Amino acid sequence: MLRWTDPAATPDALRPCVATFGNFDGVHRGHRVVIGTLLAEAKARGLPAVAVTFDPHPIQVLHPERAPELISPGSLHEQLLEETGIDGLVVVPFTVDYAQQSPEEFILSTFVTGLGVKALIVGADTKGFGRGYTGDVDLIRELGQRHGFDVVVVPDQGNAARWSSSAARERLREGDVAGAAEILGRPHRVVGVVVHGFHRGRELGYPTANLERRSRGVVPADGVYAGWFTRLDLPPDHPDHRLPAAISVGTNPTFDGTERTVEAYCLDRTDLDLYGETVAVDFVEHLRPTLRFDSIEELLDAMAGDVVAAHAVLDHRV
């Protein structure tokens, strides 16, 4: 996948093309249907498939006071898009000045002039782009007729409700990581570097990897979860690349903690030296809420139960 930041600098090999645009936060199942349509249309026309996205998220620039925490920020976001199989990704630097383009200027400069688009793939809910938030699907159709590109509109996707980034965030805020995975099409992932904590887990016989406070990705509600611990610095074929884990999110109330942390215990492993490694934690299922225990013995009993419960969830999964 080629990556660039200015549609006017599109490589000759990728224009003309079939294209789509959006924030794609989380690259959830609805996004993947749009991108799947993009890939199918591109293949049918013998053209490359290109996605246009923005960094930072437009709401972070225009309304920072209500900007959402991103499900898949930065490099994680781009990795998820690359995995879809697109040929090119335009990551446009989003600024207040950039936002002053009219909706028509945005479509023409980005897709007609920049990408030489032959077909533009959009979701049925595409709206609110350009100055005044007035751009919508009807305008795109009109511009397609005037400037010679096709417009393919993908209907809203979902089971009981439309799959959306907002819905996935809400599930994560509730600790419903299984519900979030239903929307995302995969377990939710948080990425960070392993740092030193208070070493209480090791003293108790359950050494945990503590993720740095500024980890990438929405941290679910406080609780204990079953999930996967992936050591991103190891090659995928290494036997310790991906390990089953019990994951704790919270402030460690038994020890009167005040700082919210994410820490993972790799099941049945006490031999791992993980400090300084970049790791990914994938949340599969909520096991129990965070609790305050009256004694270390009660805490140890609960942790032993967490290991059993995590095994029950993960042992039959690949």
Side-chain angles (χ1 to χ4, degrees):
M1 182 189 78
L2 296 179
R3 178 196 186 279
W4 66 105
T5 60
D6 182 359
T10 297
D12 291 340
L14 292 182
R15 65 183 315 275
C17 67
V18 178
T20 189
F21 72 97
N23 296 309
F24 303 116
D25 184 30
V27 195
H28 58 64
R29 292 172 70 184
H31 295 145
R32 289 175 184 269
V33 172
V34 171
I35 294 173
T37 304
L38 166 74
L39 294 169
E41 288 287 337
K43 182 178 180 180
R45 298 163 188 266
L47 294 173
V50 175
V52 176
T53 191
F54 311 96
D55 185 40
H57 192 294
I59 296 181
Q60 291 179 322
V61 174
L62 300 175
H63 301 286
E65 73 284 353
R66 55 184 177 90
E69 186 176 7
L70 298 182
I71 298 169
S72 58
S75 59
L76 178 57
H77 181 230
E78 295 185 22
Q79 177 188 347
L80 290 169
L81 287 169
E82 181 174 8
E83 290 172 355
T84 65
I86 59 175
D87 300 297
L89 178 64
V90 189
V91 183
V92 177
F94 194 90
T95 64
V96 172
D97 287 343
Y98 181 83
Q100 298 310 305
Q101 294 180 99
S102 70
E104 182 172 355
E105 288 170 336
F106 164 67
I107 296 296
L108 295 184
S109 65
T110 302
F111 298 102
V112 177
T113 303
L115 295 174
V117 73
K118 294 300 181 183
L120 188 55
I121 316 302
V122 295
D125 64 339
T126 299
K127 60 183 178 180
F129 60 88
R131 186 177 62 244
Y133 310 106
T134 55
D136 58 16
V137 171
D138 288 339
L139 174 65
I140 295 172
R141 283 195 175 108
E142 177 188 333
L143 293 173
Q145 291 175 353
R146 283 164 45 191
H147 296 278
F149 63 87
D150 297 330
V151 178
V152 179
V153 180
V154 180
D156 287 345
Q157 304 292 317
N159 295 329
R162 184 173 71 89
W163 292 323
S164 70
S165 302
S166 297
R169 288 189 203 97
E170 182 60 29
R171 301 293 188 280
L172 294 171
R173 282 194 292 268
E174 295 169 350
D176 181 11
V177 294
E182 173 66 22
I183 295 170
L184 296 173
R186 65 182 185 283
H188 173 60
R189 169 167 286 194
V190 171
V191 176
V193 175
V194 178
V195 297
H196 286 276
F198 291 101
H199 303 282
R200 295 190 187 105
R202 184 168 296 279
E203 294 169 2
L204 296 172
Y206 296 93
T208 58
N210 292 262
L211 270 63
E212 62 184 340
R213 289 188 64 188
R214 298 187 64 179
S215 299
R216 290 172 282 168
V218 175
V219 175
D222 288 4
V224 178
Y225 300 86
W228 298 102
F229 184 90
T230 302
R231 302 172 68 181
L232 299 177
D233 296 336
L234 295 181
D237 60 350
H238 192 287
D240 286 345
H241 175 71
R242 184 172 184 256
L243 301 166
I247 307 155
S248 174
V249 177
T251 59
N252 291 304
T254 300
F255 297 99
D256 298 319
T258 57
E259 184 176 302
R260 193 165 184 255
T261 61
V262 177
E263 49 188 307
Y265 165 63
C266 296
L267 301 183
D268 310 320
R269 297 294 295 271
T270 59
D271 59 328
L272 300 173
D273 183 2
L274 302 167
Y275 296 115
E277 287 192 27
T278 301
V279 302
V281 174
D282 296 324
F283 293 83
V284 174
E285 189 169 307
H286 182 266
L287 299 179
R288 65 170 174 84
T290 298
L291 301 172
R292 180 186 180 93
F293 297 98
D294 294 329
S295 68
I296 298 300
E297 289 73 21
E298 288 184 10
L299 173 61
L300 287 170
D301 286 344
M303 294 173 75
D306 295 338
V307 171
V308 172
H311 268 303
V313 170
L314 301 171
D315 284 354
H316 65 285
R317 305 195 188 202
V318 177

